[in-house]
């Protein structure tokens, strides 16, 4: 059941007409009545999708009420890790004066659970799910259920934000519309098509046997090849690989996004899209949010990593997030595996807001 939903999420990444069905199914997994997705350019909403119960509310927000709402600015300055219950996350005074909250209550919706995912390219994608006021509010089990889908929603959101939620008509046009360096790979990993931005990435990728790709950075290439292999076989795996900065090239993130279900119609013969995002130099891209959304870290691992970036030792970082030092070292080992790093200094440099993500 969950694997089918994950496939549908990746289908929607390239088939925007599928988003309503996906949002409804994700809402069901958290016993919710509505679901929405909004893409922000900093604090301004630029695209949205919403199920029938919330559609009029979110349309009014995106067209008018966002100017009077402090939701986006609060989220940018206090980035959440994973999905959160908004009554626990937003200050009481913010909710009391929020026009979107008032409009939700007016149509009978109450408890709201949401995630805000900051993309390295500068956009912020928000997913939100509401319950009817006559039902019990969201609880921990709902948060856990949605966090299982969080990394998949993050990657699909990146594609949707770049595509502008507008379906592309042909392979070349689709890759250009993404606005990211991108290539389509077959099931065997052979490069089938690239866009002009991808062709300019001198030194990042190297050609391999049988028309395949490999990343020049050895550690990153191990993660990349695993992701390509698993994506081709339909298995779930970390599908975003950080590439450290070099003297010739800025840091970037390579995403392996599988094509699922009718998304194959856009790229006939393709099995996955490899896209490269360049972190925008902006304080509005919180490292923890990027890390959680793109590298499949759990919210707890993201908080621990953020504590390390702040200059804490493993012991101090463990104390800061309320775990033992032994658990902290376990977290660190898992973070190393997921980010392709091997030393604490290398990890901190990768996640730091000034080097390379700033």
């Amino acid at each position: 059941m969950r694997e089918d939903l994950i496939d549908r999420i990746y289908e929607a990444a390239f088939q925007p007409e599928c988003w309503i069905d996906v949002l409804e199914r994700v809402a069901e997994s958290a016993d919710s009545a509505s679901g929405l997705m909004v893409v922000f350019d900093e604090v301004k909403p630029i695209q949205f999708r919403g199920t029938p119960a919330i559609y009029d509310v979110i349309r009014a927000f995106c067209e008018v009420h966002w100017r009077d709402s402090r939701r986006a600015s609060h989220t940018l300055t206090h980035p959440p890790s994973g999905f959160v219950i908004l009554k626990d996350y937003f200050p009481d005074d913010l909710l009391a004066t929020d026009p979107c909250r008032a409009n939700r209550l007016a149509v009978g919706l109450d408890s709201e659970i949401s995630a805000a995912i900051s993309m390295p390219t500068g956009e912020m994608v928000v997913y939100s799910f509401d319950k009817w006021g006559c039902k019990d509010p969201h609880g921990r089990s709902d948060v856990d259920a949605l966090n299982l889908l969080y990394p998949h929603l993050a990657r699909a959101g990146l594609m949707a934000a770049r595509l502008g939620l507008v379906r592309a008509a042909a392979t070349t046009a689709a890759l250009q519309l993404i606005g990211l360096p991108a290539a389509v790979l077959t099931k065997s990993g052979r490069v089938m098509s690239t866009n002009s931005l991808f062709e300019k990435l001198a030194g990042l990728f190297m050609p391999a046997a049988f028309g395949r790709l490999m990343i020049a950075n050895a550690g990153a290439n191990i993660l990349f090849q695993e992701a390509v292999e698993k994506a081709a076989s339909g298995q779930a795996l970390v599908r975003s690989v950080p590439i450290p900065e070099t003297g010739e090239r800025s840091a970037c993130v390579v995403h392996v996004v599988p094509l699922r279900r009718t998304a194959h119609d856009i790229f006939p013969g393709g099995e996955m899209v490899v896209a490269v995002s360049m972190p925008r130099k902006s304080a509005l891209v919180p490292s923890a949010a990027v890390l959680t959304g793109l590298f499949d870290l759990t919210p707890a691992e993201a908080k621990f990593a953020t504590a390390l970036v702040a200059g804490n030792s493993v012991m101090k970082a463990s104390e800061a997030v309320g775990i033992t030092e032994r658990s902290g070292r376990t977290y660190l080992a898992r973070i190393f595996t997921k980010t392709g790093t091997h030393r604490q200094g290398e990890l901190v440099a990768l996640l730091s807001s000034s080097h390379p993500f700033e």
Side-chain angles (χ1 to χ4, degrees):
M1 179 76 175
R2 189 165 71 91
E3 289 305 315
D4 177 69
L5 178 52
I6 290 171
D7 280 354
R8 290 178 182 274
I9 289 171
Y10 284 119
E11 178 185 28
F14 299 99
Q15 297 277 39
E17 64 269 26
C18 296
W19 272 113
I20 299 303
D21 177 67
V22 166
L23 291 170
E24 288 178 340
R25 289 171 181 268
V26 175
E28 289 174 6
S29 72
D31 192 26
S32 299
S34 70
L36 65 85
M37 169 191 183
V38 182
V39 179
F40 288 83
D41 181 6
E42 297 188 355
V43 299
K44 181 180 180 180
I46 54 176
Q47 305 157 30
F48 77 93
R49 286 289 187 271
T51 61
I54 195 70
Y55 181 83
D56 289 341
V57 173
I58 195 60
R59 182 180 65 179
F61 172 81
C62 292
E63 292 178 355
V64 179
H65 298 311
W66 68 271
R67 297 177 179 85
D68 302 316
S69 174
R70 290 185 286 143
R71 285 181 177 235
S73 58
H74 179 87
T75 301
L76 288 168
T77 54
H78 302 83
S81 294
F83 278 89
V84 294
I85 298 172
L86 292 194
K87 282 187 176 179
D88 300 331
Y89 169 70
F90 283 137
D92 291 342
D93 67 309
L94 186 153
L95 287 177
T97 59
D98 183 61
C100 195
R101 171 71 176 160
N103 289 342
R104 278 175 155 89
L105 292 173
V107 298
L109 296 169
D110 190 355
S111 182
E112 185 181 354
I113 189 170
S114 183
I117 307 169
S118 293
M119 299 299 169
T121 47
E123 299 95 344
M124 180 172 67
V125 178
V126 172
Y127 295 95
S128 189
F129 304 91
D130 299 77
K131 283 193 176 188
W132 293 119
C134 59
K135 300 196 69 172
D136 291 335
H138 289 106
R140 186 70 242 176
S141 62
D142 299 313
V143 173
D144 292 342
L146 290 176
N147 276 334
L148 291 174
L149 300 173
Y150 185 95
H152 308 292
L153 290 169
R155 277 183 286 270
L158 174 67
M159 293 296 104
R162 293 278 92 187
L163 280 168
L165 298 178
V166 177
R167 181 175 179 175
T171 300
T172 302
L175 288 177
Q176 290 300 132
L177 280 174
I178 287 174
L180 299 171
V184 179
L185 272 57
T186 66
K187 191 168 186 176
S188 66
R190 180 179 59 83
V191 177
M192 190 179 79
S193 178
T194 63
N195 65 8
S196 59
L197 295 173
F198 190 89
E199 293 164 5
K200 295 176 182 178
L201 295 176
L204 177 59
F205 291 97
M206 299 191 306
F210 308 109
R212 297 173 182 166
L213 283 178
M214 63 182 296
I215 295 176
N217 180 285
N221 187 56
I222 292 173
L223 295 179
F224 176 68
Q225 298 302 333
E226 289 177 345
V228 169
E229 179 183 347
K230 297 300 184 182
S233 64
Q235 300 180 50
L237 187 73
V238 175
R239 297 188 180 100
S240 298
V241 181
I243 312 295
E245 183 179 22
T246 67
E248 296 77 31
R249 175 185 41 75
S250 299
C252 60
V253 184
V254 175
H255 313 277
V256 181
V257 182
L259 296 170
R260 293 292 182 257
R261 299 169 62 86
T262 60
H264 285 104
D265 296 342
I266 299 177
F267 307 102
E271 189 65 27
M272 68 201 81
V273 170
V274 174
V276 183
S277 62
M278 309 293 181
R280 189 170 73 175
K281 294 183 180 297
S282 169
L284 298 179
V285 183
S287 297
V290 172
L291 185 67
T292 306
L294 299 180
F295 304 139
D296 287 3
L297 292 196
T298 66
E301 290 166 351
K303 289 179 181 178
F304 180 76
T306 302
L308 289 176
V309 173
N312 294 303
S313 64
V314 172
M315 182 178 70
K316 292 294 185 182
S318 301
E319 291 176 356
V321 298
I323 59 175
T324 65
E325 184 177 357
R326 181 175 180 179
S327 294
R329 296 197 177 280
T330 300
Y331 278 22
L332 184 60
R334 292 203 299 256
I335 294 168
F336 281 159
T337 299
K338 292 179 179 182
T339 59
T341 53
H342 303 282
R343 297 181 301 277
Q344 186 173 333
E346 183 183 2
L347 174 67
V348 170
L350 178 66
L351 306 184
S352 170
S353 60
S354 59
H355 177 72
F357 294 149
E358 65 178 0

